[in-house]
Amino acid sequence: DTAVSQTPKYLVTQMGNDKSIKCEQNLGHDTMYWYKQDSKKFLKIMFSYNNKELIINETVPNRFSPKSPDKAHLNLHINSLELGDSAVYFCASSQGGWGQKYNEQFFGPGTRLTVL
Amino acid sequence: AQSVTQLDSQVPVFEEAPVELRCNYSSSVSVYLFWYVQYPNQGLQLLLKYLSGSTLVKGINGFEAEFNKSQTSFHLRKPSVHISDTAEYFCAVSGLLDEKLTFGTGTRLTIIP
């Protein structure tokens, strides 16, 4: 059983297009995250949602819009894609609410986005 | 705010030899420390973590790490590596009330047969 799943696994698209990446977790967790891993393997958090409420919004262009229809899903929509958006995007989830005792984050397999 | 430094971007090691992957962090508050492993074309998997208590923590696959507060380090070690340990290893830190993980730039461990 997949704990944190992402679709699609690979996404190749042209500059200027709009695309979405979906994330689902079946762990019953309250908090979900999006991370970006660039070509140099550097990982940086983009967003965090707790029970459908936005908690973290790092310095990310507003072309990126996360959407959480329920606490098991956190989708990432990207408008007007640019070359620099090419990266691997990881979804993660953790139990419990923000500010509570440590909760391990479980990562999805990643979505490799290539913008041509 | 926290930061993590992994000075070694690549570490080649002969099979069955010991390895140490270095991690130093910077923070104005107390932190939790983590090592994650990323196998080729896969997501991240937690290897081990330091939350409190004993400074020597053991993780999966025979890895261990030691928290050294005075040196602000959390180096990862394994006494004898295997081919299957070939992967990217990330050190990460978070504040005690902050679930945001700050990652280092990663160390690629390559095992030489």
Side-chain angles (χ1 to χ4, degrees), chain B residues 63-111:
Chain B
F63 283 93
E64 64 180 32
E66 186 154 20
F67 170 54
N68 187 319
K69 190 174 182 179
S70 62
Q71 296 187 8
T72 60
S73 68
F74 190 55
H75 301 331
L76 181 70
R77 301 185 186 98
K78 186 170 182 178
S80 175
V81 295
H82 302 287
I83 291 288
S84 59
D85 293 323
T86 297
E88 194 89 24
Y89 291 80
F90 292 93
C91 184
V93 64
S94 74
L96 299 193
L97 293 176
D98 179 355
E99 292 195 18
K100 184 178 84 169
L101 283 171
T102 299
F103 286 88
T105 49
T107 298
R108 177 169 297 177
L109 177 62
T110 303
I111 309 303

Coordinates of all heavy atoms in Angstrom, one line a residue, chain B residues 63-111:
Chain B
F63 N 23.2 2.1 10.0 CA 23.8 3.5 10.1 C 23.6 4.0 11.6 O 22.6 3.6 12.2 CB 23.1 4.5 9.1 CG 23.6 4.3 7.7 CD1 22.9 3.5 6.8 CD2 24.7 5.1 7.3 CE1 23.4 3.4 5.5 CE2 25.1 4.9 6.0 CZ 24.5 4.1 5.1
E64 N 24.4 4.9 12.0 CA 24.3 5.6 13.2 C 24.8 7.0 13.1 O 25.6 7.3 12.1 CB 25.0 4.8 14.4 CG 26.5 4.8 14.2 CD 27.2 4.0 15.3 OE1 26.6 3.1 15.9 OE2 28.4 4.4 15.6
A65 N 24.4 7.9 14.0 CA 24.9 9.2 14.0 C 25.1 9.7 15.4 O 24.4 9.3 16.3 CB 23.9 10.1 13.2
E66 N 26.0 10.7 15.5 CA 26.2 11.2 16.9 C 26.0 12.7 16.9 O 26.6 13.5 16.1 CB 27.6 10.9 17.3 CG 27.9 11.3 18.8 CD 29.0 10.6 19.4 OE1 29.8 9.9 18.7 OE2 29.1 10.5 20.7
F67 N 25.2 13.2 17.8 CA 24.9 14.6 18.0 C 25.9 15.2 18.9 O 26.2 14.7 20.0 CB 23.5 14.8 18.6 CG 23.2 16.2 19.0 CD1 23.3 17.2 18.1 CD2 22.7 16.4 20.3 CE1 23.0 18.5 18.5 CE2 22.4 17.7 20.7 CZ 22.6 18.8 19.8
N68 N 26.6 16.2 18.4 CA 27.6 16.9 19.2 C 27.2 18.4 19.2 O 27.4 19.1 18.3 CB 29.0 16.8 18.5 CG 30.1 17.3 19.4 OD1 29.9 18.4 20.0 ND2 31.2 16.6 19.5
K69 N 26.7 18.7 20.4 CA 26.1 20.1 20.5 C 27.2 21.2 20.5 O 27.0 22.2 19.8 CB 25.3 20.2 21.8 CG 24.5 21.5 21.9 CD 23.6 21.5 23.2 CE 22.8 22.8 23.2 NZ 21.9 22.8 24.4
S70 N 28.3 20.9 21.1 CA 29.4 21.9 21.1 C 30.0 22.2 19.8 O 30.4 23.3 19.5 CB 30.5 21.5 22.1 OG 31.1 20.3 21.7
Q71 N 30.0 21.1 18.9 CA 30.5 21.3 17.6 C 29.4 21.5 16.5 O 29.7 21.6 15.4 CB 31.4 20.1 17.2 CG 32.6 19.9 18.1 CD 33.5 18.8 17.6 OE1 33.3 18.3 16.5 NE2 34.5 18.5 18.4
T72 N 28.2 21.5 17.0 CA 27.0 21.6 16.2 C 27.1 20.7 15.0 O 27.0 21.1 13.8 CB 26.8 23.1 15.7 OG1 27.9 23.6 14.9 CG2 26.5 24.0 16.9
S73 N 27.4 19.5 15.3 CA 27.5 18.5 14.2 C 26.6 17.3 14.5 O 26.2 17.0 15.6 CB 29.0 18.0 14.1 OG 29.3 17.2 15.3
F74 N 26.4 16.6 13.4 CA 25.5 15.4 13.4 C 26.0 14.4 12.3 O 25.3 14.2 11.3 CB 24.0 15.7 13.3 CG 23.1 14.6 13.5 CD1 23.1 13.9 14.7 CD2 22.1 14.3 12.6 CE1 22.2 12.9 15.0 CE2 21.2 13.3 12.9 CZ 21.2 12.6 14.0
H75 N 27.2 13.9 12.5 CA 27.8 13.1 11.4 C 27.2 11.7 11.4 O 26.9 11.1 12.4 CB 29.3 13.0 11.7 CG 30.0 14.3 11.7 ND1 29.6 15.4 11.0 CD2 31.1 14.7 12.3 CE1 30.4 16.5 11.2 NE2 31.3 16.1 12.0
L76 N 27.1 11.2 10.2 CA 26.5 9.9 9.9 C 27.7 8.9 9.7 O 28.6 9.2 8.9 CB 25.6 9.9 8.7 CG 24.9 8.6 8.3 CD1 23.8 8.3 9.3 CD2 24.3 8.8 6.9
R77 N 27.5 7.7 10.3 CA 28.6 6.7 10.1 C 28.0 5.3 9.9 O 26.9 5.0 10.2 CB 29.4 6.6 11.4 CG 30.1 7.9 11.8 CD 31.0 7.7 13.0 NE 31.5 8.9 13.5 CZ 31.1 9.6 14.5 NH1 30.0 9.2 15.2 NH2 31.6 10.8 14.8
K78 N 28.8 4.5 9.2 CA 28.5 3.1 9.0 C 29.8 2.3 9.0 O 30.8 2.7 8.3 CB 27.7 2.8 7.8 CG 27.3 1.4 7.6 CD 26.3 1.2 6.5 CE 25.8 -0.3 6.5 NZ 24.8 -0.6 5.4
P79 N 30.0 1.3 9.8 CA 31.3 0.6 9.9 C 31.7 -0.2 8.7 O 32.9 -0.4 8.4 CB 31.1 -0.3 11.1 CG 29.6 -0.5 11.3 CD 29.0 0.7 10.7
S80 N 30.7 -0.6 7.9 CA 31.0 -1.4 6.7 C 29.9 -1.2 5.7 O 28.8 -1.6 5.9 CB 31.1 -2.9 7.1 OG 31.3 -3.7 6.0
V81 N 30.3 -0.6 4.5 CA 29.2 -0.3 3.6 C 29.0 -1.4 2.5 O 29.9 -2.2 2.3 CB 29.5 1.1 2.8 CG1 29.5 2.2 3.8 CG2 30.9 1.0 2.1
H82 N 27.9 -1.4 1.9 CA 27.5 -2.3 0.9 C 27.2 -1.6 -0.4 O 26.8 -0.4 -0.3 CB 26.4 -3.2 1.3 CG 26.7 -3.9 2.6 ND1 27.5 -5.0 2.7 CD2 26.2 -3.7 3.9 CE1 27.6 -5.4 3.9 NE2 26.8 -4.7 4.7
I83 N 27.2 -2.3 -1.5 CA 26.8 -1.7 -2.8 C 25.4 -1.0 -2.7 O 25.2 0.0 -3.2 CB 26.8 -2.8 -3.9 CG1 28.2 -3.2 -4.2 CG2 26.1 -2.2 -5.1 CD1 29.1 -2.2 -4.9
S84 N 24.5 -1.7 -1.9 CA 23.2 -1.2 -1.8 C 23.1 0.2 -1.1 O 22.0 0.8 -1.1 CB 22.3 -2.2 -1.1 OG 22.8 -2.5 0.2
D85 N 24.2 0.6 -0.5 CA 24.2 1.9 0.2 C 24.4 3.1 -0.7 O 24.3 4.2 -0.3 CB 25.2 1.9 1.3 CG 24.9 1.0 2.4 OD1 23.8 0.8 2.8 OD2 25.9 0.3 3.0
T86 N 24.6 2.8 -2.0 CA 24.8 3.8 -3.0 C 23.5 4.7 -3.1 O 22.5 4.1 -3.4 CB 25.1 3.2 -4.4 OG1 26.4 2.5 -4.3 CG2 25.2 4.3 -5.4
A87 N 23.6 5.9 -2.7 CA 22.5 6.8 -2.7 C 22.9 8.2 -2.3 O 24.1 8.5 -2.1 CB 21.5 6.3 -1.6
E88 N 21.9 9.1 -2.3 CA 22.2 10.5 -1.9 C 21.7 10.6 -0.4 O 20.6 10.1 -0.1 CB 21.4 11.5 -2.7 CG 21.8 12.9 -2.6 CD 22.9 13.3 -3.6 OE1 23.0 12.6 -4.7 OE2 23.5 14.3 -3.3
Y89 N 22.5 11.2 0.4 CA 22.2 11.3 1.8 C 22.0 12.8 2.2 O 22.9 13.6 1.9 CB 23.3 10.6 2.7 CG 23.3 9.2 2.5 CD1 23.9 8.6 1.4 CD2 22.7 8.3 3.4 CE1 23.9 7.2 1.2 CE2 22.7 6.9 3.3 CZ 23.3 6.4 2.2 OH 23.3 5.0 2.0
F90 N 20.9 13.1 2.9 CA 20.6 14.4 3.2 C 20.5 14.6 4.7 O 19.8 13.8 5.4 CB 19.3 14.9 2.6 CG 19.3 15.0 1.1 CD1 18.9 13.9 0.3 CD2 19.7 16.2 0.5 CE1 18.9 14.0 -1.0 CE2 19.7 16.3 -0.9 CZ 19.3 15.2 -1.6
C91 N 21.2 15.6 5.2 CA 21.1 16.0 6.6 C 20.0 17.1 6.7 O 19.9 17.9 5.8 CB 22.4 16.5 7.2 SG 22.4 16.9 8.9
A92 N 19.2 17.0 7.8 CA 18.1 18.1 7.9 C 17.9 18.4 9.3 O 18.3 17.7 10.2 CB 16.8 17.5 7.3
V93 N 17.4 19.6 9.5 CA 17.2 20.1 10.9 C 15.8 20.8 10.9 O 15.3 21.3 9.9 CB 18.3 21.2 11.2 CG1 18.2 22.4 10.3 CG2 18.2 21.6 12.7
S94 N 15.2 20.8 12.1 CA 14.0 21.5 12.3 C 14.0 22.1 13.8 O 14.6 21.5 14.6 CB 12.7 20.7 12.1 OG 12.5 19.8 13.1
G95 N 13.3 23.2 14.0 CA 13.2 23.7 15.3 C 12.2 22.8 16.1 O 11.5 22.0 15.6
L96 N 12.2 23.0 17.4 CA 11.4 22.0 18.3 C 9.9 22.2 18.1 O 9.2 21.3 18.3 CB 11.8 22.3 19.7 CG 13.2 22.0 20.1 CD1 13.4 21.9 21.7 CD2 13.8 20.7 19.5
L97 N 9.5 23.4 17.7 CA 8.1 23.6 17.5 C 7.8 24.0 16.0 O 6.8 24.6 15.7 CB 7.6 24.7 18.4 CG 7.6 24.4 19.9 CD1 7.2 25.6 20.7 CD2 6.7 23.2 20.2
D98 N 8.7 23.6 15.2 CA 8.6 24.0 13.8 C 8.8 22.8 12.9 O 9.9 22.2 12.9 CB 9.8 25.0 13.5 CG 9.8 25.5 12.1 OD1 9.0 25.0 11.2 OD2 10.6 26.4 11.8
E99 N 7.8 22.4 12.2 CA 7.9 21.2 11.4 C 8.5 21.4 10.1 O 8.7 20.4 9.3 CB 6.5 20.6 11.2 CG 5.8 20.1 12.5 CD 4.6 19.2 12.3 OE1 4.5 18.7 11.1 OE2 3.9 19.0 13.2
K100 N 8.9 22.6 9.8 CA 9.6 22.8 8.6 C 11.0 22.2 8.6 O 11.8 22.5 9.5 CB 9.7 24.3 8.3 CG 10.3 24.7 7.0 CD 10.4 26.2 6.8 CE 11.6 26.8 7.4 NZ 11.7 28.2 7.0
L101 N 11.3 21.4 7.7 CA 12.6 20.8 7.6 C 13.5 21.6 6.7 O 13.1 22.0 5.6 CB 12.6 19.4 7.0 CG 12.1 18.2 7.8 CD1 11.8 17.0 7.0 CD2 13.0 18.0 9.0
T102 N 14.7 21.9 7.2 CA 15.7 22.6 6.4 C 16.8 21.6 6.0 O 17.4 21.0 6.9 CB 16.4 23.8 7.1 OG1 15.3 24.7 7.4 CG2 17.4 24.5 6.3
F103 N 17.0 21.4 4.7 CA 17.9 20.3 4.3 C 19.3 20.9 3.9 O 19.4 22.0 3.5 CB 17.4 19.7 3.0 CG 16.2 18.7 3.3 CD1 14.9 19.2 3.3 CD2 16.5 17.4 3.5 CE1 13.9 18.3 3.6 CE2 15.4 16.5 3.8 CZ 14.1 17.0 3.8
G104 N 20.3 20.0 4.1 CA 21.6 20.3 3.5 C 21.6 20.0 2.0 O 20.6 19.6 1.5
T105 N 22.7 20.2 1.3 CA 22.8 20.1 -0.1 C 23.0 18.6 -0.5 O 23.0 18.3 -1.7 CB 23.9 20.9 -0.7 OG1 25.1 20.7 0.1 CG2 23.5 22.4 -0.6
G106 N 23.1 17.7 0.4 CA 23.2 16.3 0.1 C 24.7 15.8 -0.1 O 25.5 16.6 -0.5
T107 N 24.9 14.6 0.1 CA 26.2 13.9 -0.1 C 25.9 12.6 -0.9 O 25.1 11.8 -0.5 CB 26.9 13.5 1.2 OG1 27.2 14.7 1.9 CG2 28.2 12.8 0.8
R108 N 26.5 12.5 -2.1 CA 26.3 11.3 -2.9 C 27.4 10.3 -2.4 O 28.6 10.5 -2.6 CB 26.5 11.7 -4.3 CG 26.4 10.4 -5.2 CD 26.3 10.8 -6.7 NE 25.1 11.6 -7.0 CZ 24.8 12.1 -8.1 NH1 25.6 11.9 -9.2 NH2 23.7 12.7 -8.3
L109 N 26.9 9.2 -1.9 CA 27.8 8.1 -1.5 C 27.8 7.1 -2.6 O 26.8 6.5 -3.0 CB 27.2 7.5 -0.2 CG 28.0 6.2 0.3 CD1 29.4 6.6 0.7 CD2 27.3 5.6 1.5
T110 N 29.0 6.8 -3.1 CA 29.3 5.9 -4.1 C 30.1 4.8 -3.6 O 31.2 5.0 -3.1 CB 30.0 6.5 -5.3 OG1 29.2 7.6 -5.8 CG2 30.2 5.5 -6.5
I111 N 29.6 3.5 -3.7 CA 30.4 2.4 -3.2 C 31.1 1.7 -4.4 O 30.6 1.4 -5.4 CB 29.4 1.4 -2.6 CG1 28.5 2.1 -1.6 CG2 30.2 0.2 -1.9 CD1 29.2 2.8 -0.5

